[in-house]
Amino acid sequence: MKHVFIINPKAGKGSNIDRLYDMADMLRSRHGLDVKCVLTQSRGHATTITREFAQSGEEYRFYACGGDGTINEVANGIAGFPNAAMTAIPIGTGNDFLKNFGDKQSLFSDAENLFDGEVQELDLIDCNGQLALTIACSGIDARVAEDVHRYSASPRIDGKTSYLIAVARNVIFKELSSHWTLSIDGRTKESDYTLIAVCNGRYYGGGFMPVAEAGMTDGVLNTLVVDKITRALFARFVGAYSKGNYRKFPKYARCYQAKEIRISSTKKDIPTCLDGEVVFSDDVTIRLSEKKLRFFGPKGCDPDATRRR
């Protein structure tokens, strides 16, 4: 078996690279493992690297060293390969995926807790052929996420300021809802929607938890549909939404257990945020992926540890 650290050198402003190399050296010297480190060079590079390794047929364990974006790229590279498994070492600013593991989250920071972990098979979300681990959301929250990325690119604007500007731009100065045709497992309705969150995991956007009962191993996608609401109601709703308490607004928010969701628009592209990355299409098909992700972590870790049952 080969162990490969896939390192995003931009995550954490590069301050963790030496620590990761030391970790890899420790696995070699202490446990006699075949370990190598690979630095990614651009967006999507982690997917290319891991897929090439996995296609060799040799048995691999990958360590995604970065934030949620790096984890997503590695998952897209190895999903469906029975000879490849992955874990995550968090060094990025966004680590929403690992929040699903509850009090075991901190153990992922040290490869010594990971290398011999038991492999679990996780569900995935397929959105127009691109895979996501946790949440695919369309609507106001995806528009905010896109603007946060845009404003964060400026050296003059910090992360918190970027978020506040993005919220103001989309909540105050734009329409909250969009007119879409929505189909959930074949049941179709055309209407105005504020957001649609398709949840496999429970966290996104720095800790928002739209559907607290969503599970990563249950074979369904918990799909929260929020109808058109006013700005005044949105201000009240967002706090409950962030904590998985959408049931407090039954007139406007409903959750379905589904396997295929389709959103289409005749007016403009639909923004959809996949594990933090925003993509655009006028026809979005989201389904439970037939591929499984082989994931390993600390002994006793549970990807549904924080699930509200």
Side-chain angles (χ1 to χ4, degrees):
M1 181 188 295
K2 296 184 177 181
H3 298 251
V4 183
F5 283 53
I6 305 295
I7 302 170
N8 178 355
K10 295 182 179 179
K13 298 182 179 179
S15 60
N16 292 283
I17 293 179
D18 289 343
R19 182 173 68 87
L20 292 168
Y21 272 87
D22 288 343
M23 239 184 258
D25 287 338
M26 190 66 70
L27 292 185
R28 289 190 200 98
S29 61
R30 187 177 291 175
H31 304 287
L33 302 180
D34 182 345
V35 187
K36 70 183 300 182
C37 296
V38 180
L39 301 180
T40 60
Q41 299 175 6
S42 59
R43 177 179 289 185
H45 191 207
T47 298
T48 302
I49 297 168
T50 52
R51 184 170 295 151
E52 288 176 353
F53 281 129
Q55 286 173 339
S56 72
E58 293 185 79
E59 191 172 357
Y60 278 96
R61 285 199 165 196
F62 295 101
Y63 301 72
C65 306
D68 289 318
T70 305
I71 295 171
N72 176 277
E73 288 190 16
V74 174
N76 271 270
I78 73 166
F81 284 96
N83 58 308
M86 72 170 288
T87 190
I89 299 177
I91 62 170
T93 54
N95 299 298
D96 284 319
F97 170 70
L98 291 181
K99 291 183 175 71
N100 291 287
F101 293 86
D103 59 8
K104 298 283 187 181
Q105 179 182 352
S106 61
L107 297 179
F108 282 89
S109 295
D110 188 348
E112 185 70 25
N113 302 321
L114 306 174
F115 75 94
D116 59 350
E118 182 179 351
V119 172
Q120 306 178 59
E121 289 194 339
L122 306 185
D123 295 333
L124 290 168
I125 302 169
D126 182 318
C127 178
N128 287 1
Q130 185 171 340
L131 300 176
L133 288 86
T134 52
I135 295 176
C137 57
S138 299
I140 179 67
D141 45 356
R143 298 205 314 261
V144 169
E146 173 67 8
D147 282 347
V148 168
H149 287 311
R150 182 181 301 116
Y151 298 133
S152 294
S154 171
R156 299 179 180 179
I157 304 177
D158 61 24
K160 183 177 180 179
T161 303
S162 297
Y163 179 76
L164 293 174
I165 295 173
V167 170
R169 182 173 184 265
N170 285 277
V171 175
I172 299 174
F173 300 109
K174 288 188 173 184
E175 286 293 328
L176 290 182
S177 61
S178 301
H179 190 80
W180 295 332
T181 299
L182 171 65
S183 177
I184 299 178
D185 285 343
R187 302 186 301 274
T188 302
K189 181 181 178 181
E190 183 177 350
S191 187
D192 293 328
Y193 300 99
T194 298
L195 66 87
I196 297 165
V198 180
C199 303
N200 181 48
R202 291 167 295 286
Y203 302 97
Y204 82 131
F208 272 55
M209 181 175 58
V211 182
E213 60 267 30
M216 303 188 77
T217 60
D218 59 3
V220 295
L221 298 175
N222 284 269
T223 302
L224 181 62
V225 178
V226 181
D227 294 334
K228 180 179 181 179
I229 56 178
T230 64
R231 287 183 174 82
L233 182 58
F234 182 81
R236 292 169 46 214
F237 173 76
V238 70
Y241 171 79
S242 69
K243 298 176 181 178
N245 294 324
Y246 63 87
R247 286 189 176 90
K248 292 183 177 181
F249 296 83
K251 185 176 178 181
Y252 303 97
R254 301 167 305 284
C255 191
Y256 305 88
Q257 288 192 331
K259 294 197 174 183
E260 181 171 296
I261 302 92
R262 182 178 177 186
I263 311 167
S264 57
S265 172
T266 58
K267 294 185 177 180
K268 58 182 178 180
D269 282 348
I270 301 161
T272 303
C273 187
L274 306 174
D275 293 345
E277 180 183 351
V278 182
V279 296
F280 291 86
S281 175
D282 60 3
D283 196 330
V284 179
T285 299
I286 302 170
R287 57 171 60 94
L288 185 73
S289 174
E290 295 180 357
K291 298 177 180 179
K292 294 287 187 177
L293 179 68
R294 301 180 72 244
F295 188 88
F296 62 98
K299 287 181 173 62
C301 74
D302 178 4
D304 292 331
T306 61
R307 183 181 184 187
R308 190 181 300 166
R309 303 182 188 274

